[in-house]
Amino acid sequence: MCIRDRVSTQSTGLTSCAMSRPEHIAPPELFYSGNEARKYSTSSRIRNIQGQMTERAIELLNFPDESSRFILDIGCGSGLSGQGLSEAGHHWVGFDISTAMLEIAIENEVEGDVFLHDAGQGFRFRPGTFDGAISISAIQWLCNAETSNANPYRRLMAFFGVSCTPIMR
Protein backbone atom coordinates (compact mmCIF):
# COMPACT_ATOMS: atom_id res chain seq x y z
CA MET A 1 0.00 0.00 0.00
CA CYS A 2 1.20 3.47 -0.86
CA ILE A 3 1.81 5.58 2.28
CA ARG A 4 3.39 8.69 0.79
CA ASP A 5 0.58 9.62 -1.62
CA ARG A 6 -2.48 8.62 0.42
CA VAL A 7 -5.68 10.32 -0.56
CA SER A 8 -8.80 10.18 1.59
CA THR A 9 -12.03 9.98 -0.34
CA GLN A 10 -14.63 12.01 1.53
CA SER A 11 -17.61 10.24 0.01
CA THR A 12 -16.63 6.77 1.24
CA GLY A 13 -14.24 7.46 4.09
CA LEU A 14 -11.83 5.04 2.44
CA THR A 15 -8.15 5.77 1.96
CA SER A 16 -6.33 5.00 -1.26
CA CYS A 17 -3.17 5.68 -3.22
CA ALA A 18 -3.35 8.49 -5.75
CA MET A 19 -2.48 6.11 -8.62
CA SER A 20 -4.49 3.06 -7.45
CA ARG A 21 -7.18 1.62 -9.65
CA PRO A 22 -10.65 2.26 -8.19
CA GLU A 23 -11.56 -1.43 -8.20
CA HIS A 24 -8.65 -2.06 -5.80
CA ILE A 25 -9.98 0.49 -3.30
CA ALA A 26 -13.64 -0.37 -2.71
CA PRO A 27 -16.62 -2.04 -4.35
CA PRO A 28 -18.23 0.15 -7.05
CA GLU A 29 -21.40 0.91 -5.11
CA LEU A 30 -19.21 2.41 -2.35
CA PHE A 31 -16.44 3.93 -4.46
CA TYR A 32 -18.85 5.71 -6.84
CA SER A 33 -21.04 7.29 -4.21
CA GLY A 34 -21.60 11.00 -3.66
CA ASN A 35 -18.61 13.16 -4.55
CA GLU A 36 -16.66 10.44 -6.40
CA ALA A 37 -19.58 9.82 -8.78
CA ARG A 38 -19.89 13.55 -9.51
CA LYS A 39 -16.12 13.96 -10.01
CA TYR A 40 -16.05 11.01 -12.42
CA SER A 41 -19.03 12.26 -14.38
CA THR A 42 -17.78 15.82 -14.78
CA SER A 43 -14.09 15.12 -15.49
CA SER A 44 -13.31 16.28 -19.04
CA ARG A 45 -10.59 13.61 -19.26
CA ILE A 46 -12.99 10.82 -18.30
CA ARG A 47 -15.72 12.16 -20.59
CA ASN A 48 -13.27 12.18 -23.50
CA ILE A 49 -12.02 8.65 -22.80
CA GLN A 50 -15.57 7.30 -22.35
CA GLY A 51 -16.60 8.96 -25.62
CA GLN A 52 -13.72 7.40 -27.54
CA MET A 53 -14.30 3.98 -26.01
CA THR A 54 -18.01 4.14 -26.83
CA GLU A 55 -17.28 5.05 -30.45
CA ARG A 56 -14.95 2.06 -30.67
CA ALA A 57 -17.50 -0.25 -29.03
CA ILE A 58 -20.08 0.80 -31.63
CA GLU A 59 -17.55 0.05 -34.39
CA LEU A 60 -16.89 -3.39 -32.87
CA LEU A 61 -20.62 -4.18 -32.89
CA ASN A 62 -20.15 -4.12 -36.67
CA PHE A 63 -23.75 -3.40 -37.61
CA PRO A 64 -24.23 -3.88 -41.38
CA ASP A 65 -25.91 -0.50 -41.86
CA GLU A 66 -26.32 2.88 -40.21
CA SER A 67 -29.86 2.26 -38.93
CA SER A 68 -30.83 2.81 -35.31
CA ARG A 69 -30.34 -0.17 -32.98
CA PHE A 70 -31.50 -1.10 -29.46
CA ILE A 71 -28.43 -1.57 -27.24
CA LEU A 72 -27.87 -2.74 -23.66
CA ASP A 73 -25.31 -0.64 -21.76
CA ILE A 74 -23.91 -2.83 -18.97
CA GLY A 75 -22.52 -0.69 -16.15
CA CYS A 76 -23.90 2.51 -17.68
CA GLY A 77 -22.93 4.66 -14.68
CA SER A 78 -23.91 8.29 -15.17
CA GLY A 79 -24.80 7.70 -18.82
CA LEU A 80 -21.59 8.88 -20.49
CA SER A 81 -21.48 5.90 -22.85
CA GLY A 82 -25.24 6.17 -23.34
CA GLN A 83 -24.76 9.72 -24.58
CA GLY A 84 -22.43 8.34 -27.24
CA LEU A 85 -25.02 5.73 -28.20
CA SER A 86 -27.71 8.41 -28.47
CA GLU A 87 -25.43 10.67 -30.53
CA ALA A 88 -24.85 7.74 -32.91
CA GLY A 89 -28.63 7.44 -33.33
CA HIS A 90 -29.17 4.34 -31.19
CA HIS A 91 -31.73 3.65 -28.46
CA TRP A 92 -30.46 2.11 -25.25
CA VAL A 93 -31.21 0.74 -21.81
CA GLY A 94 -28.51 0.68 -19.16
CA PHE A 95 -27.98 -0.63 -15.67
CA ASP A 96 -25.42 0.04 -12.97
CA ILE A 97 -24.71 -0.98 -9.39
CA SER A 98 -24.12 2.60 -8.18
CA THR A 99 -27.22 4.51 -7.15
CA ALA A 100 -25.25 7.78 -7.12
CA MET A 101 -24.12 7.29 -10.73
CA LEU A 102 -27.67 6.49 -11.86
CA GLU A 103 -28.98 9.58 -10.05
CA ILE A 104 -26.54 11.68 -12.10
CA ALA A 105 -27.76 10.00 -15.30
CA ILE A 106 -31.36 10.86 -14.41
CA GLU A 107 -30.36 14.39 -13.38
CA ASN A 108 -28.64 14.84 -16.76
CA GLU A 109 -31.80 13.58 -18.50
CA VAL A 110 -30.07 10.89 -20.55
CA GLU A 111 -32.13 9.59 -23.46
CA GLY A 112 -31.92 5.93 -22.42
CA ASP A 113 -33.69 4.17 -19.58
CA VAL A 114 -31.53 3.26 -16.58
CA PHE A 115 -32.04 0.95 -13.63
CA LEU A 116 -30.15 -0.33 -10.58
CA HIS A 117 -28.66 -3.80 -10.97
CA ASP A 118 -25.45 -5.74 -10.23
CA ALA A 119 -24.05 -7.35 -13.40
CA GLY A 120 -22.44 -10.00 -11.17
CA GLN A 121 -25.91 -11.34 -10.41
CA GLY A 122 -26.55 -12.05 -14.08
CA PHE A 123 -29.60 -10.66 -15.83
CA ARG A 124 -32.58 -12.05 -17.63
CA PHE A 125 -33.97 -10.57 -20.80
CA ARG A 126 -35.80 -12.44 -23.50
CA PRO A 127 -33.64 -13.69 -26.39
CA GLY A 128 -33.38 -11.10 -29.12
CA THR A 129 -34.36 -8.16 -26.89
CA PHE A 130 -31.27 -6.17 -27.88
CA ASP A 131 -29.37 -5.74 -31.13
CA GLY A 132 -26.11 -5.45 -29.21
CA ALA A 133 -24.51 -4.77 -25.84
CA ILE A 134 -21.62 -2.63 -24.67
CA SER A 135 -19.79 -2.26 -21.39
CA ILE A 136 -17.32 0.56 -20.93
CA SER A 137 -15.16 0.40 -17.80
CA ALA A 138 -17.40 -1.98 -15.87
CA ILE A 139 -16.48 -5.65 -16.37
CA GLN A 140 -13.34 -5.44 -14.19
CA TRP A 141 -15.58 -4.78 -11.17
CA LEU A 142 -16.94 -8.34 -11.42
CA CYS A 143 -13.66 -9.60 -9.98
CA ASN A 144 -14.23 -7.82 -6.65
CA ALA A 145 -14.78 -10.04 -3.63
CA GLU A 146 -15.60 -7.69 -0.79
CA THR A 147 -17.60 -10.23 1.19
CA SER A 148 -17.21 -13.94 1.86
CA ASN A 149 -20.18 -14.78 -0.39
CA ALA A 150 -18.95 -12.61 -3.30
CA ASN A 151 -17.06 -15.17 -5.35
CA PRO A 152 -15.45 -13.57 -8.45
CA TYR A 153 -15.68 -16.83 -10.41
CA ARG A 154 -19.42 -17.12 -9.74
CA ARG A 155 -19.95 -13.42 -10.52
CA LEU A 156 -18.14 -13.80 -13.86
CA MET A 157 -20.07 -16.97 -14.70
CA ALA A 158 -23.38 -15.30 -13.80
CA PHE A 159 -22.51 -12.43 -16.12
CA PHE A 160 -21.02 -14.31 -19.08
CA GLY A 161 -23.43 -17.21 -18.74
CA VAL A 162 -26.37 -15.00 -19.70
CA SER A 163 -24.80 -11.97 -21.40
CA CYS A 164 -25.31 -13.22 -24.98
CA THR A 165 -28.87 -14.49 -24.59
CA PRO A 166 -30.58 -11.07 -24.89
CA ILE A 167 -28.82 -10.38 -28.21
CA MET A 168 -29.18 -13.84 -29.77
CA ARG A 169 -31.95 -14.35 -32.30
Side-chain angles (χ1 to χ4, degrees):
M1 178 176 220
C2 176
I3 305 270
R4 192 180 53 162
D5 297 323
R6 290 169 71 112
V7 177
S8 177
T9 55
Q10 295 175 352
S11 61
T12 62
L14 301 169
T15 303
S16 67
C17 296
M19 298 304 289
S20 291
R21 299 218 18 103
E23 60 271 16
H24 296 160
I25 297 167
E29 65 274 22
L30 294 179
F31 185 81
Y32 290 115
S33 63
N35 292 336
E36 232 16 85
R38 188 142 322 271
K39 283 193 305 189
Y40 183 91
S41 301
T42 58
S43 164
S44 59
R45 179 178 163 275
I46 294 293
R47 293 177 74 80
N48 187 33
I49 291 168
Q50 287 277 328
Q52 290 174 7
M53 291 174 72
T54 302
E55 285 177 19
R56 181 64 178 138
I58 293 169
E59 288 175 15
L60 291 172
L61 288 171
N62 199 27
F63 293 130
D65 56 37
E66 298 278 329
S67 64
S68 178
R69 303 296 177 139
F70 189 42
I71 300 175
L72 177 62
D73 187 352
I74 302 162
C76 66
S78 61
L80 295 178
S81 50
Q83 285 177 315
L85 292 170
S86 295
E87 289 169 5
H90 301 296
H91 303 282
W92 60 277
V93 169
F95 65 81
D96 200 275
I97 194 171
S98 169
T99 303
M101 291 292 258
L102 293 172
E103 287 171 353
I104 292 170
I106 293 166
E107 183 181 298
N108 291 339
E109 298 179 355
V110 297
E111 291 181 32
D113 292 320
V114 297
F115 63 96
L116 183 67
H117 185 68
D118 176 3
Q121 300 300 312
F123 45 90
R124 302 278 185 230
F125 293 102
R126 291 181 181 175
T129 300
F130 301 100
D131 297 309
I134 68 167
S135 182
I136 310 296
S137 303
I139 302 300
Q140 74 274 14
W141 291 99
L142 294 174
C143 296
N144 274 28
E146 299 299 324
T147 64
S148 59
N149 61 348
N151 181 313
Y153 175 78
R154 276 189 247 145
R155 292 176 56 73
L156 287 164
M157 290 305 295
F159 174 77
F160 286 106
V162 297
S163 62
C164 293
T165 303
I167 55 176
M168 295 173 75
R169 294 196 187 259

